Short mmCIF file of all heavy atoms in Angstrom, two decimals:
data_model
loop_
_atom_site.label_atom_id
_atom_site.label_comp_id
_atom_site.label_asym_id
_atom_site.label_seq_id
_atom_site.Cartn_x
_atom_site.Cartn_y
_atom_site.Cartn_z
N MET R 1266 20.34 18.84 1.55
CA MET R 1266 19.30 17.83 1.65
C MET R 1266 18.91 17.67 3.11
O MET R 1266 19.74 17.62 4.00
CB MET R 1266 19.84 16.52 1.08
CG MET R 1266 18.83 15.41 1.08
SD MET R 1266 19.47 13.97 0.21
CE MET R 1266 17.96 13.22 -0.27
N THR R 1267 17.62 17.59 3.35
CA THR R 1267 17.13 17.45 4.71
C THR R 1267 16.94 15.98 5.05
O THR R 1267 16.69 15.16 4.18
CB THR R 1267 15.78 18.18 4.89
OG1 THR R 1267 14.85 17.63 3.97
CG2 THR R 1267 15.94 19.67 4.65
N ALA R 1268 17.09 15.67 6.31
CA ALA R 1268 16.91 14.30 6.75
C ALA R 1268 15.44 14.00 6.95
O ALA R 1268 14.69 14.83 7.44
CB ALA R 1268 17.66 14.08 8.06
N THR R 1269 15.04 12.83 6.54
CA THR R 1269 13.67 12.39 6.73
C THR R 1269 13.51 11.90 8.16
O THR R 1269 14.35 11.19 8.67
CB THR R 1269 13.33 11.26 5.77
OG1 THR R 1269 13.46 11.74 4.44
CG2 THR R 1269 11.91 10.78 5.98
N THR R 1270 12.42 12.33 8.77
CA THR R 1270 12.11 11.87 10.12
C THR R 1270 11.15 10.70 10.03
O THR R 1270 10.12 10.79 9.39
CB THR R 1270 11.45 13.01 10.92
OG1 THR R 1270 12.32 14.12 10.92
CG2 THR R 1270 11.18 12.57 12.34
N LEU R 1271 11.53 9.59 10.64
CA LEU R 1271 10.66 8.42 10.67
C LEU R 1271 10.02 8.38 12.05
O LEU R 1271 10.71 8.25 13.06
CB LEU R 1271 11.48 7.16 10.42
CG LEU R 1271 10.72 5.86 10.22
CD1 LEU R 1271 9.77 5.96 9.04
CD2 LEU R 1271 11.69 4.72 10.01
N THR R 1272 8.70 8.55 12.10
CA THR R 1272 8.02 8.60 13.37
C THR R 1272 7.23 7.31 13.58
O THR R 1272 6.67 6.77 12.64
CB THR R 1272 7.06 9.79 13.47
OG1 THR R 1272 6.05 9.63 12.48
CG2 THR R 1272 7.79 11.10 13.25
N PRO R 1273 7.20 6.83 14.80
CA PRO R 1273 6.49 5.58 15.05
C PRO R 1273 4.98 5.75 15.10
O PRO R 1273 4.26 4.79 14.90
CB PRO R 1273 7.02 5.14 16.42
CG PRO R 1273 7.44 6.40 17.08
CD PRO R 1273 7.89 7.32 15.98
N ARG R 1274 4.51 6.92 15.34
CA ARG R 1274 3.06 7.15 15.45
C ARG R 1274 2.68 8.37 14.62
O ARG R 1274 3.35 9.40 14.69
CB ARG R 1274 2.67 7.42 16.90
CG ARG R 1274 2.59 6.19 17.72
CD ARG R 1274 1.20 5.59 17.60
NE ARG R 1274 1.07 4.50 18.53
CZ ARG R 1274 1.04 3.23 18.17
NH1 ARG R 1274 1.09 2.92 16.92
NH2 ARG R 1274 0.91 2.29 19.06
N PRO R 1275 1.60 8.26 13.87
CA PRO R 1275 1.14 9.42 13.12
C PRO R 1275 0.73 10.55 14.04
O PRO R 1275 0.15 10.32 15.10
CB PRO R 1275 -0.07 8.90 12.36
CG PRO R 1275 0.06 7.42 12.37
CD PRO R 1275 0.82 7.08 13.63
N VAL R 1276 1.03 11.78 13.64
CA VAL R 1276 0.60 12.95 14.39
C VAL R 1276 -0.93 13.02 14.35
O VAL R 1276 -1.58 13.23 15.37
CB VAL R 1276 1.23 14.22 13.81
CG1 VAL R 1276 0.71 15.46 14.53
CG2 VAL R 1276 2.75 14.14 13.89
N VAL R 1277 -1.47 12.85 13.16
CA VAL R 1277 -2.93 12.76 13.00
C VAL R 1277 -3.22 11.28 12.75
O VAL R 1277 -2.76 10.72 11.76
CB VAL R 1277 -3.41 13.60 11.80
CG1 VAL R 1277 -4.90 13.44 11.61
CG2 VAL R 1277 -3.04 15.06 12.00
N PRO R 1278 -3.95 10.62 13.66
CA PRO R 1278 -4.17 9.18 13.52
C PRO R 1278 -4.81 8.83 12.18
O PRO R 1278 -5.70 9.54 11.69
CB PRO R 1278 -5.12 8.84 14.67
CG PRO R 1278 -4.95 9.94 15.66
CD PRO R 1278 -4.59 11.16 14.86
N MET R 1279 -4.36 7.75 11.60
CA MET R 1279 -4.95 7.28 10.35
C MET R 1279 -6.21 6.48 10.67
O MET R 1279 -6.28 5.81 11.70
CB MET R 1279 -3.93 6.44 9.59
CG MET R 1279 -2.85 7.29 8.94
SD MET R 1279 -1.74 6.33 7.91
CE MET R 1279 -0.31 6.37 8.99
N THR R 1280 -7.17 6.59 9.79
CA THR R 1280 -8.45 5.92 10.01
C THR R 1280 -8.72 4.96 8.85
O THR R 1280 -7.94 4.88 7.90
CB THR R 1280 -9.60 6.95 10.08
OG1 THR R 1280 -9.77 7.54 8.79
CG2 THR R 1280 -9.31 8.03 11.11
N LEU R 1281 -9.86 4.30 8.92
CA LEU R 1281 -10.28 3.42 7.82
C LEU R 1281 -10.44 4.20 6.52
O LEU R 1281 -10.32 3.64 5.44
CB LEU R 1281 -11.61 2.75 8.16
CG LEU R 1281 -11.54 1.55 9.11
CD1 LEU R 1281 -12.94 1.14 9.54
CD2 LEU R 1281 -10.83 0.39 8.44
N ALA R 1282 -10.69 5.50 6.64
CA ALA R 1282 -10.88 6.32 5.45
C ALA R 1282 -9.57 6.61 4.72
O ALA R 1282 -9.58 7.01 3.56
CB ALA R 1282 -11.56 7.63 5.82
N ASP R 1283 -8.44 6.42 5.41
CA ASP R 1283 -7.14 6.63 4.77
C ASP R 1283 -6.79 5.37 3.98
O ASP R 1283 -6.65 4.29 4.55
CB ASP R 1283 -6.07 6.91 5.82
CG ASP R 1283 -6.27 8.24 6.50
OD1 ASP R 1283 -6.41 9.24 5.78
OD2 ASP R 1283 -6.30 8.27 7.75
N ARG R 1284 -6.66 5.51 2.68
CA ARG R 1284 -6.45 4.36 1.81
C ARG R 1284 -5.10 4.45 1.12
O ARG R 1284 -4.57 5.54 0.90
CB ARG R 1284 -7.56 4.30 0.74
CG ARG R 1284 -8.96 4.41 1.27
CD ARG R 1284 -9.30 3.49 2.42
NE ARG R 1284 -9.32 2.07 2.08
CZ ARG R 1284 -9.71 1.12 2.91
NH1 ARG R 1284 -10.11 1.42 4.13
NH2 ARG R 1284 -9.69 -0.13 2.53
N CYS R 1285 -4.56 3.30 0.77
CA CYS R 1285 -3.29 3.22 0.06
C CYS R 1285 -3.44 3.85 -1.32
O CYS R 1285 -4.39 3.56 -2.05
CB CYS R 1285 -2.87 1.75 -0.08
SG CYS R 1285 -1.38 1.50 -1.05
N ASP R 1286 -2.48 4.73 -1.66
CA ASP R 1286 -2.53 5.39 -2.95
C ASP R 1286 -2.16 4.46 -4.10
O ASP R 1286 -2.30 4.83 -5.26
CB ASP R 1286 -1.62 6.63 -2.95
CG ASP R 1286 -2.19 7.75 -2.10
OD1 ASP R 1286 -3.42 7.94 -2.13
OD2 ASP R 1286 -1.43 8.42 -1.40
N ARG R 1287 -1.67 3.28 -3.81
CA ARG R 1287 -1.31 2.32 -4.85
C ARG R 1287 -2.40 1.30 -5.08
O ARG R 1287 -2.69 0.93 -6.20
CB ARG R 1287 0.00 1.60 -4.50
CG ARG R 1287 1.21 2.47 -4.48
CD ARG R 1287 1.64 2.96 -5.87
NE ARG R 1287 2.03 1.92 -6.78
CZ ARG R 1287 3.26 1.45 -6.93
NH1 ARG R 1287 4.22 1.94 -6.20
NH2 ARG R 1287 3.52 0.50 -7.78
N CYS R 1288 -3.01 0.76 -3.99
CA CYS R 1288 -3.94 -0.37 -4.16
C CYS R 1288 -5.29 -0.15 -3.52
O CYS R 1288 -6.20 -0.95 -3.73
CB CYS R 1288 -3.31 -1.65 -3.62
SG CYS R 1288 -3.15 -1.69 -1.82
N GLY R 1289 -5.46 0.88 -2.70
CA GLY R 1289 -6.76 1.16 -2.10
C GLY R 1289 -7.01 0.44 -0.79
O GLY R 1289 -8.07 0.61 -0.18
N ALA R 1290 -6.04 -0.36 -0.31
CA ALA R 1290 -6.20 -1.01 0.99
C ALA R 1290 -6.07 0.03 2.10
O ALA R 1290 -5.67 1.17 1.86
CB ALA R 1290 -5.13 -2.09 1.17
N GLN R 1291 -6.42 -0.36 3.32
CA GLN R 1291 -6.29 0.57 4.45
C GLN R 1291 -4.84 1.01 4.58
O GLN R 1291 -3.92 0.20 4.52
CB GLN R 1291 -6.76 -0.08 5.74
CG GLN R 1291 -6.74 0.88 6.93
CD GLN R 1291 -7.26 0.25 8.21
OE1 GLN R 1291 -7.74 -0.87 8.19
NE2 GLN R 1291 -7.17 0.98 9.29
N ALA R 1292 -4.64 2.31 4.78
CA ALA R 1292 -3.28 2.87 4.87
C ALA R 1292 -2.76 2.82 6.29
O ALA R 1292 -3.50 3.08 7.24
CB ALA R 1292 -3.27 4.30 4.35
N PHE R 1293 -1.47 2.47 6.42
CA PHE R 1293 -0.80 2.48 7.71
C PHE R 1293 0.50 3.26 7.68
O PHE R 1293 1.16 3.40 8.70
CB PHE R 1293 -0.52 1.04 8.18
CG PHE R 1293 -1.77 0.29 8.57
CD1 PHE R 1293 -2.42 -0.51 7.66
CD2 PHE R 1293 -2.29 0.43 9.84
CE1 PHE R 1293 -3.58 -1.19 8.01
CE2 PHE R 1293 -3.44 -0.25 10.21
CZ PHE R 1293 -4.09 -1.06 9.29
N ILE R 1294 0.90 3.74 6.50
CA ILE R 1294 2.12 4.53 6.37
C ILE R 1294 1.78 5.81 5.62
O ILE R 1294 1.13 5.78 4.57
CB ILE R 1294 3.22 3.74 5.63
CG1 ILE R 1294 3.64 2.53 6.49
CG2 ILE R 1294 4.42 4.63 5.31
CD1 ILE R 1294 4.65 1.62 5.83
N ARG R 1295 2.19 6.95 6.20
CA ARG R 1295 1.92 8.26 5.58
C ARG R 1295 3.26 8.95 5.34
O ARG R 1295 4.07 9.10 6.25
CB ARG R 1295 1.05 9.12 6.49
CG ARG R 1295 0.79 10.52 5.94
CD ARG R 1295 0.06 11.41 6.93
NE ARG R 1295 -1.31 10.98 7.15
CZ ARG R 1295 -1.87 10.80 8.35
NH1 ARG R 1295 -1.20 11.03 9.43
NH2 ARG R 1295 -3.13 10.42 8.46
N ALA R 1296 3.48 9.37 4.09
CA ALA R 1296 4.69 10.12 3.73
C ALA R 1296 4.27 11.56 3.48
O ALA R 1296 3.41 11.83 2.64
CB ALA R 1296 5.34 9.53 2.49
N VAL R 1297 4.87 12.47 4.24
CA VAL R 1297 4.51 13.88 4.15
C VAL R 1297 5.59 14.61 3.35
O VAL R 1297 6.78 14.50 3.66
CB VAL R 1297 4.38 14.52 5.55
CG1 VAL R 1297 4.00 15.99 5.44
CG2 VAL R 1297 3.35 13.75 6.37
N PHE R 1298 5.17 15.33 2.31
CA PHE R 1298 6.06 16.11 1.46
C PHE R 1298 5.71 17.58 1.62
O PHE R 1298 4.67 17.93 2.19
CB PHE R 1298 5.87 15.70 -0.01
CG PHE R 1298 6.10 14.22 -0.26
CD1 PHE R 1298 5.05 13.33 -0.15
CD2 PHE R 1298 7.35 13.74 -0.58
CE1 PHE R 1298 5.25 11.97 -0.36
CE2 PHE R 1298 7.56 12.40 -0.81
CZ PHE R 1298 6.50 11.51 -0.69
N THR R 1299 6.55 18.45 1.09
CA THR R 1299 6.25 19.89 1.14
C THR R 1299 4.98 20.20 0.36
O THR R 1299 4.26 21.14 0.68
CB THR R 1299 7.41 20.72 0.59
OG1 THR R 1299 7.72 20.24 -0.73
CG2 THR R 1299 8.63 20.63 1.47
N SER R 1300 4.67 19.39 -0.64
CA SER R 1300 3.52 19.66 -1.50
C SER R 1300 2.29 18.85 -1.14
O SER R 1300 1.26 18.97 -1.81
CB SER R 1300 3.91 19.36 -2.95
OG SER R 1300 4.34 18.02 -3.06
N GLY R 1301 2.34 18.03 -0.10
CA GLY R 1301 1.18 17.22 0.26
C GLY R 1301 1.62 15.93 0.91
O GLY R 1301 2.71 15.85 1.46
N GLU R 1302 0.77 14.92 0.84
CA GLU R 1302 1.12 13.66 1.46
C GLU R 1302 0.60 12.49 0.65
O GLU R 1302 -0.34 12.64 -0.16
CB GLU R 1302 0.56 13.59 2.89
CG GLU R 1302 -0.96 13.59 2.95
CD GLU R 1302 -1.47 13.55 4.39
OE1 GLU R 1302 -0.90 14.24 5.25
OE2 GLU R 1302 -2.44 12.83 4.64
N LEU R 1303 1.22 11.34 0.84
CA LEU R 1303 0.79 10.10 0.23
C LEU R 1303 0.61 9.08 1.35
O LEU R 1303 1.35 9.11 2.35
CB LEU R 1303 1.82 9.59 -0.77
CG LEU R 1303 2.05 10.43 -2.01
CD1 LEU R 1303 3.25 9.90 -2.81
CD2 LEU R 1303 0.81 10.44 -2.90
N THR R 1304 -0.36 8.21 1.21
CA THR R 1304 -0.58 7.17 2.21
C THR R 1304 -0.48 5.81 1.53
O THR R 1304 -0.85 5.65 0.36
CB THR R 1304 -1.95 7.32 2.89
OG1 THR R 1304 -2.98 7.38 1.88
CG2 THR R 1304 -2.01 8.56 3.75
N PHE R 1305 0.02 4.85 2.28
CA PHE R 1305 0.26 3.51 1.72
C PHE R 1305 -0.13 2.44 2.73
O PHE R 1305 -0.02 2.63 3.95
CB PHE R 1305 1.73 3.33 1.36
CG PHE R 1305 2.21 4.28 0.30
CD1 PHE R 1305 2.90 5.42 0.67
CD2 PHE R 1305 1.96 4.06 -1.04
CE1 PHE R 1305 3.34 6.32 -0.29
CE2 PHE R 1305 2.39 4.95 -2.01
CZ PHE R 1305 3.08 6.08 -1.63
N CYS R 1306 -0.52 1.29 2.21
CA CYS R 1306 -0.70 0.11 3.06
C CYS R 1306 0.68 -0.35 3.51
O CYS R 1306 1.71 0.13 3.03
CB CYS R 1306 -1.43 -0.98 2.27
SG CYS R 1306 -0.48 -1.66 0.89
N GLY R 1307 0.73 -1.30 4.42
CA GLY R 1307 2.01 -1.79 4.91
C GLY R 1307 2.86 -2.37 3.79
O GLY R 1307 4.06 -2.11 3.71
N HIS R 1308 2.24 -3.12 2.89
CA HIS R 1308 2.98 -3.74 1.78
C HIS R 1308 3.64 -2.69 0.89
O HIS R 1308 4.85 -2.74 0.66
CB HIS R 1308 2.02 -4.62 0.96
CG HIS R 1308 2.59 -5.08 -0.34
ND1 HIS R 1308 3.46 -6.13 -0.43
CD2 HIS R 1308 2.44 -4.59 -1.59
CE1 HIS R 1308 3.81 -6.28 -1.70
NE2 HIS R 1308 3.20 -5.37 -2.43
N HIS R 1309 2.85 -1.76 0.40
CA HIS R 1309 3.41 -0.76 -0.52
C HIS R 1309 4.28 0.26 0.21
O HIS R 1309 5.23 0.78 -0.37
CB HIS R 1309 2.28 -0.07 -1.30
CG HIS R 1309 1.70 -0.95 -2.37
ND1 HIS R 1309 0.39 -1.36 -2.37
CD2 HIS R 1309 2.30 -1.53 -3.44
CE1 HIS R 1309 0.19 -2.15 -3.43
NE2 HIS R 1309 1.33 -2.26 -4.08
N GLY R 1310 3.98 0.55 1.47
CA GLY R 1310 4.83 1.45 2.23
C GLY R 1310 6.23 0.90 2.39
O GLY R 1310 7.22 1.61 2.22
N ARG R 1311 6.30 -0.40 2.71
CA ARG R 1311 7.63 -1.03 2.86
C ARG R 1311 8.33 -1.13 1.52
O ARG R 1311 9.54 -0.93 1.42
CB ARG R 1311 7.48 -2.41 3.49
CG ARG R 1311 7.15 -2.35 4.95
CD ARG R 1311 7.22 -3.73 5.61
NE ARG R 1311 6.47 -3.71 6.84
CZ ARG R 1311 5.27 -4.23 6.99
NH1 ARG R 1311 4.68 -4.84 6.00
NH2 ARG R 1311 4.64 -4.14 8.15
N GLU R 1312 7.56 -1.44 0.47
CA GLU R 1312 8.13 -1.57 -0.86
C GLU R 1312 8.75 -0.25 -1.32
O GLU R 1312 9.78 -0.24 -1.99
CB GLU R 1312 7.02 -2.00 -1.84
CG GLU R 1312 7.47 -2.27 -3.24
CD GLU R 1312 6.30 -2.76 -4.10
OE1 GLU R 1312 5.57 -1.91 -4.64
OE2 GLU R 1312 6.13 -3.97 -4.21
N LEU R 1313 8.13 0.87 -0.95
CA LEU R 1313 8.59 2.19 -1.42
C LEU R 1313 9.36 2.95 -0.35
O LEU R 1313 9.65 4.14 -0.53
CB LEU R 1313 7.36 3.02 -1.84
CG LEU R 1313 6.57 2.44 -3.02
CD1 LEU R 1313 5.24 3.16 -3.17
CD2 LEU R 1313 7.38 2.56 -4.30
N LEU R 1314 9.70 2.30 0.75
CA LEU R 1314 10.33 3.02 1.86
C LEU R 1314 11.63 3.72 1.46
O LEU R 1314 11.86 4.86 1.85
CB LEU R 1314 10.58 2.06 3.03
CG LEU R 1314 10.96 2.72 4.34
CD1 LEU R 1314 9.88 3.70 4.80
CD2 LEU R 1314 11.20 1.67 5.42
N ALA R 1315 12.46 3.08 0.67
CA ALA R 1315 13.75 3.70 0.28
C ALA R 1315 13.54 5.00 -0.49
O ALA R 1315 14.09 6.04 -0.09
CB ALA R 1315 14.60 2.71 -0.49
N PRO R 1316 12.77 5.02 -1.57
CA PRO R 1316 12.57 6.29 -2.27
C PRO R 1316 11.79 7.31 -1.44
O PRO R 1316 12.03 8.52 -1.54
CB PRO R 1316 11.81 5.92 -3.54
CG PRO R 1316 11.30 4.55 -3.34
CD PRO R 1316 12.19 3.89 -2.33
N LEU R 1317 10.88 6.84 -0.59
CA LEU R 1317 10.12 7.76 0.25
C LEU R 1317 11.03 8.46 1.25
O LEU R 1317 10.91 9.66 1.49
CB LEU R 1317 8.99 7.03 0.99
CG LEU R 1317 7.82 6.57 0.14
CD1 LEU R 1317 6.86 5.74 0.99
CD2 LEU R 1317 7.09 7.73 -0.49
N THR R 1318 11.96 7.73 1.84
CA THR R 1318 12.84 8.34 2.83
C THR R 1318 13.77 9.37 2.18
O THR R 1318 14.23 10.28 2.84
CB THR R 1318 13.68 7.30 3.58
OG1 THR R 1318 14.36 6.49 2.65
CG2 THR R 1318 12.82 6.45 4.48
N ARG R 1319 14.02 9.22 0.89
CA ARG R 1319 14.85 10.22 0.20
C ARG R 1319 14.07 11.48 -0.12
O ARG R 1319 14.65 12.56 -0.24
CB ARG R 1319 15.41 9.62 -1.10
CG ARG R 1319 16.54 8.63 -0.87
CD ARG R 1319 17.27 8.33 -2.15
NE ARG R 1319 16.46 7.66 -3.16
CZ ARG R 1319 16.36 6.33 -3.28
NH1 ARG R 1319 17.03 5.54 -2.48
NH2 ARG R 1319 15.58 5.81 -4.21
N ALA R 1320 12.75 11.36 -0.28
CA ALA R 1320 11.97 12.50 -0.78
C ALA R 1320 11.06 13.14 0.27
O ALA R 1320 10.76 14.32 0.18
CB ALA R 1320 11.12 12.05 -1.97
N ALA R 1321 10.61 12.36 1.25
CA ALA R 1321 9.61 12.87 2.19
C ALA R 1321 10.25 13.64 3.34
O ALA R 1321 11.41 13.43 3.67
CB ALA R 1321 8.79 11.72 2.75
N ILE R 1322 9.48 14.54 3.93
CA ILE R 1322 9.92 15.26 5.12
C ILE R 1322 9.76 14.36 6.33
O ILE R 1322 10.64 14.26 7.17
CB ILE R 1322 9.08 16.54 5.31
CG1 ILE R 1322 9.22 17.45 4.11
CG2 ILE R 1322 9.47 17.26 6.59
CD1 ILE R 1322 8.21 18.59 4.11
N VAL R 1323 8.61 13.73 6.42
CA VAL R 1323 8.28 12.85 7.54
C VAL R 1323 7.59 11.61 6.99
O VAL R 1323 6.79 11.69 6.07
CB VAL R 1323 7.32 13.56 8.55
CG1 VAL R 1323 6.85 12.59 9.62
CG2 VAL R 1323 7.99 14.76 9.17
N ILE R 1324 7.93 10.47 7.55
CA ILE R 1324 7.21 9.24 7.25
C ILE R 1324 6.64 8.72 8.56
O ILE R 1324 7.39 8.48 9.51
CB ILE R 1324 8.11 8.18 6.59
CG1 ILE R 1324 8.61 8.70 5.24
CG2 ILE R 1324 7.36 6.87 6.41
CD1 ILE R 1324 9.62 7.81 4.58
N GLU R 1325 5.33 8.59 8.59
CA GLU R 1325 4.65 8.11 9.80
C GLU R 1325 4.31 6.63 9.59
O GLU R 1325 3.66 6.28 8.61
CB GLU R 1325 3.40 8.93 10.06
CG GLU R 1325 3.73 10.39 10.29
CD GLU R 1325 2.48 11.27 10.29
OE1 GLU R 1325 1.45 10.87 9.74
OE2 GLU R 1325 2.57 12.37 10.84
N ASP R 1326 4.75 5.80 10.50
CA ASP R 1326 4.58 4.36 10.36
C ASP R 1326 3.67 3.83 11.47
O ASP R 1326 4.05 3.83 12.64
CB ASP R 1326 5.95 3.69 10.43
CG ASP R 1326 5.88 2.19 10.21
OD1 ASP R 1326 4.76 1.65 10.10
OD2 ASP R 1326 6.94 1.57 10.15
N ALA R 1327 2.49 3.41 11.10
CA ALA R 1327 1.55 2.85 12.08
C ALA R 1327 1.31 1.37 11.78
O ALA R 1327 0.27 0.83 12.13
CB ALA R 1327 0.24 3.63 12.06
N THR R 1328 2.28 0.72 11.15
CA THR R 1328 2.09 -0.68 10.78
C THR R 1328 1.98 -1.60 12.00
O THR R 1328 1.50 -2.72 11.87
CB THR R 1328 3.23 -1.18 9.87
OG1 THR R 1328 4.48 -0.91 10.50
CG2 THR R 1328 3.19 -0.49 8.51
N ASP R 1329 2.40 -1.12 13.17
CA ASP R 1329 2.24 -1.94 14.37
C ASP R 1329 0.76 -2.08 14.75
O ASP R 1329 0.41 -2.93 15.56
CB ASP R 1329 3.04 -1.37 15.54
CG ASP R 1329 2.62 0.03 15.92
OD1 ASP R 1329 2.28 0.82 15.01
OD2 ASP R 1329 2.64 0.34 17.12
N LEU R 1330 -0.09 -1.25 14.15
CA LEU R 1330 -1.52 -1.34 14.44
C LEU R 1330 -2.24 -2.34 13.54
O LEU R 1330 -3.42 -2.62 13.75
CB LEU R 1330 -2.19 0.04 14.27
CG LEU R 1330 -1.66 1.13 15.21
CD1 LEU R 1330 -2.36 2.46 14.92
CD2 LEU R 1330 -1.87 0.73 16.66
N ILE R 1331 -1.53 -2.87 12.54
CA ILE R 1331 -2.15 -3.87 11.67
C ILE R 1331 -2.51 -5.08 12.53
O ILE R 1331 -1.70 -5.60 13.29
CB ILE R 1331 -1.19 -4.29 10.52
CG1 ILE R 1331 -0.94 -3.10 9.60
CG2 ILE R 1331 -1.75 -5.46 9.74
CD1 ILE R 1331 0.11 -3.37 8.53
N ASN R 1332 -3.75 -5.50 12.41
CA ASN R 1332 -4.28 -6.62 13.18
C ASN R 1332 -4.35 -6.34 14.68
O ASN R 1332 -4.51 -7.28 15.46
CB ASN R 1332 -3.49 -7.91 12.92
CG ASN R 1332 -3.62 -8.38 11.49
OD1 ASN R 1332 -4.65 -8.17 10.87
ND2 ASN R 1332 -2.57 -8.96 10.97
N ALA R 1333 -4.22 -5.07 15.09
CA ALA R 1333 -4.36 -4.73 16.51
C ALA R 1333 -5.81 -4.93 16.95
O ALA R 1333 -6.08 -5.25 18.10
CB ALA R 1333 -3.93 -3.29 16.76
N GLN R 1334 -6.73 -4.73 16.03
CA GLN R 1334 -8.14 -4.98 16.30
C GLN R 1334 -8.64 -5.97 15.26
O GLN R 1334 -8.26 -5.89 14.09
CB GLN R 1334 -8.97 -3.69 16.19
CG GLN R 1334 -8.60 -2.66 17.24
CD GLN R 1334 -9.45 -1.41 17.10
OE1 GLN R 1334 -10.07 -1.17 16.08
NE2 GLN R 1334 -9.46 -0.60 18.15
N PRO R 1335 -9.49 -6.90 15.66
CA PRO R 1335 -10.00 -7.85 14.68
C PRO R 1335 -10.82 -7.16 13.59
O PRO R 1335 -11.53 -6.19 13.85
CB PRO R 1335 -10.87 -8.81 15.50
CG PRO R 1335 -10.95 -8.24 16.86
CD PRO R 1335 -9.99 -7.10 16.99
N SER R 1336 -10.68 -7.64 12.40
CA SER R 1336 -11.45 -7.11 11.29
C SER R 1336 -12.93 -7.43 11.51
O SER R 1336 -13.26 -8.52 11.95
CB SER R 1336 -10.98 -7.74 9.99
OG SER R 1336 -11.89 -7.46 8.95
N PRO R 1337 -13.83 -6.49 11.18
CA PRO R 1337 -15.27 -6.77 11.33
C PRO R 1337 -15.69 -7.97 10.49
O PRO R 1337 -16.63 -8.66 10.82
CB PRO R 1337 -15.95 -5.50 10.83
CG PRO R 1337 -14.89 -4.45 10.90
CD PRO R 1337 -13.58 -5.14 10.74
N SER R 1338 -14.97 -8.23 9.41
CA SER R 1338 -15.35 -9.35 8.54
C SER R 1338 -14.75 -10.67 9.00
O SER R 1338 -15.07 -11.73 8.47
CB SER R 1338 -14.91 -9.06 7.11
OG SER R 1338 -13.50 -8.96 7.06
N ALA R 1339 -13.85 -10.62 10.00
CA ALA R 1339 -13.17 -11.83 10.43
C ALA R 1339 -14.14 -12.87 11.02
O ALA R 1339 -13.90 -14.07 10.90
CB ALA R 1339 -12.09 -11.51 11.46
N ASN R 1340 -15.21 -12.41 11.65
CA ASN R 1340 -16.13 -13.33 12.29
C ASN R 1340 -17.45 -13.46 11.54
O ASN R 1340 -18.36 -14.10 12.03
CB ASN R 1340 -16.41 -12.87 13.73
CG ASN R 1340 -15.15 -12.91 14.57
OD1 ASN R 1340 -14.34 -13.80 14.43
ND2 ASN R 1340 -14.99 -11.92 15.43
N SER R 1341 -17.52 -12.88 10.35
CA SER R 1341 -18.77 -12.99 9.60
C SER R 1341 -18.86 -14.36 8.95
O SER R 1341 -17.85 -15.00 8.63
CB SER R 1341 -18.84 -11.90 8.55
OG SER R 1341 -17.82 -12.09 7.60
N ASP R 1342 -20.05 -14.81 8.79
CA ASP R 1342 -20.28 -16.13 8.18
C ASP R 1342 -20.64 -16.02 6.73
O ASP R 1342 -21.24 -15.19 6.23
CB ASP R 1342 -21.37 -16.88 8.91
CG ASP R 1342 -20.90 -17.28 10.30
OD1 ASP R 1342 -19.72 -17.66 10.44
OD2 ASP R 1342 -21.72 -17.22 11.24
ZN1 LIG T 2118 -1.13 -0.79 -1.10
#
């Protein structure tokens, strides 16, 4: 069994186009497998972290970027 690498920053930055595979929210966690990858929001990424660390090759965690920039809708009336 190979050890999962938990990286603090994605190799390829995640964008607004990267969506959670569970709920469709913006993704901040990417789990890379030999067969592809899954992306998750902070909530679902943390919820699934234990099984992901057992199965994924790399888990990229960018949850520190949540709320790093104000949401465009935060100031809308
Ligand atoms: Zn989600």
